[in-house]
């Protein structure tokens, strides 16, 4: 009864938390940001599954502890048992955790392979981490690149952007398209992470890492550098606008012209 009530309130809390959230973190937020990509949806499911498993295990261990304290304290049980070995019990308490871990490993590996297996991309974006901003390059779509810097508090307020998350030049991608993300860095290791996409990929100098996302909902999504990279690590946010294809095409056309003169290391890295 208690367990069922606990599970119900956990589900209600999770649902409420999901309902109340937008694409930015909130005070008193419970749970993850709502999933916007198939990968994040699966991460959410896996996260929920693990939450139920660990809740059950914690309750079971706590109940055992309470039972031992009440039943076998010196007053309730003045003559202690001399039993020091029980083969069946040892086999069970070794075997059951092994079975639980193997059962958890199956969906875990499925998810890992789903993330690692990049579908045929509709577009490729190269993400270059720098101290302390991001450069986005489109090596296949016109070979241009631009820098994305955090807005100051005043500029963010004026633009209606969230503080410490809004940037001057956000990355723009079309909705429902597979975006291949190739990460690298020009100085130290950074990490490009957008929670709503379920994406977190290290950006390492002299190395190309690949990942992908397919955003299925329009909107603006935020993330942050997730690898400690120096003094301004906390001030190189990520902003991605997911827009309809037509809007993306218009942005791409304008961006090619706007950023045509900007040159950089991308040509070397892109080929
Ligand atoms: Cu960083």
């Amino acid at each position: 009864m208690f367990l069922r009530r606990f599970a119900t309130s956990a589900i209600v809390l999770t649902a409420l938390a999901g309902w109340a959230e937008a694409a930015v973190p909130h005070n008193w937020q419970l749970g993850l940001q709502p999933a916007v990509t198939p990968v994040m949806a699966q991460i959410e499911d896996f996260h929920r599954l693990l939450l139920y498993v660990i809740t059950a295990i914690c309750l079971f261990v706590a109940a055992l502890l309470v039972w031992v304290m009440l039943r076998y304290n010196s007053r309730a049980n003045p003559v202690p048992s001399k039993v020091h070995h029980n083969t069946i019990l040892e086999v069970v308490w070794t075997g059951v955790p092994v079975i639980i871990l193997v059962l958890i490993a199956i969906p875990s590996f499925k998810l890992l392979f789903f993330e690692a297996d990049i579908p045929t991309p509709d577009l490729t974006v190269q993400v270059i981490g720098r101290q302390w901003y991001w450069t986005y390059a489109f090596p296949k779509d016109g070979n241009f690149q631009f820098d994305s810097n955090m807005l100051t508090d005043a500029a963010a307020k004026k633009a209606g952007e969230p503080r410490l998350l809004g940037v001057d030049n956000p990355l723009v991608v079309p909705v429902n398209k597979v975006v291949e993300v190739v990460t690298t860095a020009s100085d130290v290791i950074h990490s490009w992470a957008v929670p709503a996409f379920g994406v977190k990929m290290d950006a390492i100098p002299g190395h190309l890492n690949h990942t992908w996302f397919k955003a299925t909902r329009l909107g603006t999504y935020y993330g942050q550098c997730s690898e400690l990279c120096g003094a301004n690590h906390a001030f190189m946010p990520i902003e991605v606008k997911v827009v309809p294809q037509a809007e993306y095409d218009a942005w791409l056309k304008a961006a090619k012209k706007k950023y045509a003169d900007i040159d950089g290391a991308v040509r070397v890295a892109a080929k």
Side-chain angles (χ1 to χ4, degrees):
M1 186 63 199
F2 171 75
L3 260 180
R4 199 190 296 161
R5 204 174 287 170
F6 183 86
T8 317
S9 40
I11 292 168
V12 171
L13 275 178
T14 315
L16 272 177
W19 175 74
E21 285 160 27
V24 291
H26 289 285
N27 290 338
W28 301 100
Q29 177 177 334
L30 272 179
L32 308 164
Q33 288 186 29
V36 175
T37 63
V39 167
M40 190 55 201
Q42 289 202 25
I43 291 175
E44 223 170 33
D45 288 346
F46 187 55
H47 170 79
R48 196 168 301 133
L49 170 77
L50 291 188
L51 191 65
Y52 292 146
V53 172
I54 58 174
T55 304
I57 292 173
C58 284
L59 289 177
F60 175 66
V61 173
L64 276 184
L65 206 59
V66 171
W67 178 59
V68 167
M69 288 191 306
L70 295 178
R71 174 69 186 80
Y72 296 103
N73 64 49
S74 60
R75 244 177 303 152
N77 189 45
V79 186
S81 160
K82 296 263 168 60
V83 175
H84 56 79
H85 194 84
N86 187 321
T87 309
I88 293 176
L89 198 58
E90 286 195 22
V91 169
V92 170
W93 78 39
T94 310
V96 171
V98 168
I99 292 167
I100 293 173
L101 288 176
V102 169
L103 287 179
I104 287 175
I106 295 168
S108 172
F109 274 99
K110 255 193 189 163
L111 177 54
L112 272 179
F113 285 116
F114 181 58
E115 277 183 83
D117 200 4
I118 304 177
T120 313
D122 295 301
L123 84 138
T124 301
V125 179
Q126 191 174 19
V127 176
I128 305 153
R130 307 196 196 274
Q131 283 173 319
W132 289 274
Y133 59 97
W134 296 97
T135 297
Y136 297 110
F138 287 65
K140 291 179 185 167
D141 271 328
N143 201 14
F144 66 93
Q145 68 172 52
F146 60 93
D147 295 340
S148 187
N149 277 283
M150 188 186 78
L151 293 172
T152 61
D153 284 4
K157 205 169 177 190
K158 208 172 149 197
E161 288 275 351
R163 183 176 164 264
L164 301 181
L165 288 173
V167 301
D168 53 357
N169 296 316
L171 174 64
V172 179
V173 295
V175 70
N176 285 324
K177 290 286 158 75
V178 175
V179 180
E180 181 191 22
V181 177
V182 183
T183 64
T184 187
S186 62
D187 34 50
V188 298
I189 302 176
H190 304 266
S191 178
W192 198 77
V194 181
F197 294 175
V199 168
K200 179 178 280 179
M201 186 51 79
D202 273 2
I204 303 169
H207 183 90
L208 297 178
N209 271 339
H210 294 248
T211 187
W212 67 288
F213 66 83
K214 183 180 155 189
T216 53
R217 220 169 34 203
L218 300 172
T220 307
Y221 303 97
Y222 299 92
Q224 285 171 313
C225 179
S226 297
E227 183 68 63
L228 190 55
C229 60
N232 287 343
H233 164 64
F235 309 107
M236 48 182 295
I238 294 147
E239 180 177 350
V240 185
K241 280 188 188 306
V242 177
V243 299
Q245 182 68 45
E247 206 175 305
Y248 170 74
D249 292 339
W251 173 85
L252 189 67
K253 210 174 146 198
K256 272 183 205 167
K257 218 179 275 171
K258 185 175 171 191
Y259 303 121
D261 295 337
I262 305 173
D263 202 0
V266 59
R267 303 231 167 124
V268 181
K271 273 172 189 168

